[in-house]
Amino acid sequence: MAKKLKKFGIVGLAPQGIKVGTKAPAFKAKDQNGYLIDLKAMLKNGPVVFIYYRAYWCPYCNKALKNYADSIKHVTGKGVWFIAVTPETTLGVSKTIDITNLRFSVISDGDEKI
């Protein structure tokens, strides 16, 4: 793994993912349509599927997002909310939506605070 990381100019330890069961930080942010998304308020109304993805150029992210977009009809009537968060720009978010056909909130988090 270290050799692969060096190949891409990354030196040192690879970042670790979050552990199962880790709570998402409470946040308020605007989505692609300008709506204020308040995670704490949403959680009071039901479960939230919180998706973090890289950017429109990631084929793995696009495949996963398309699967969520295709599956959302099975759970929306049950009070489940979907939110996607990405470090990409708002232009990148628009590209992601075009590629994946998302119909739920996507938040651009360029500062990676969320």
Side-chain angles (χ1 to χ4, degrees), residues 67-78 82:
N67 287 337
Y68 281 115
D70 291 343
S71 301
I72 197 168
K73 63 185 168 214
H74 301 292
V75 294
T76 51
K78 297 176 177 151
F82 283 73

Side-chain angles (χ1 to χ4, degrees), residues 6-18:
K6 277 188 177 182
K7 176 180 170 184
F8 294 106
I10 300 170
V11 183
L13 296 175
Q16 299 297 311
I18 60 171

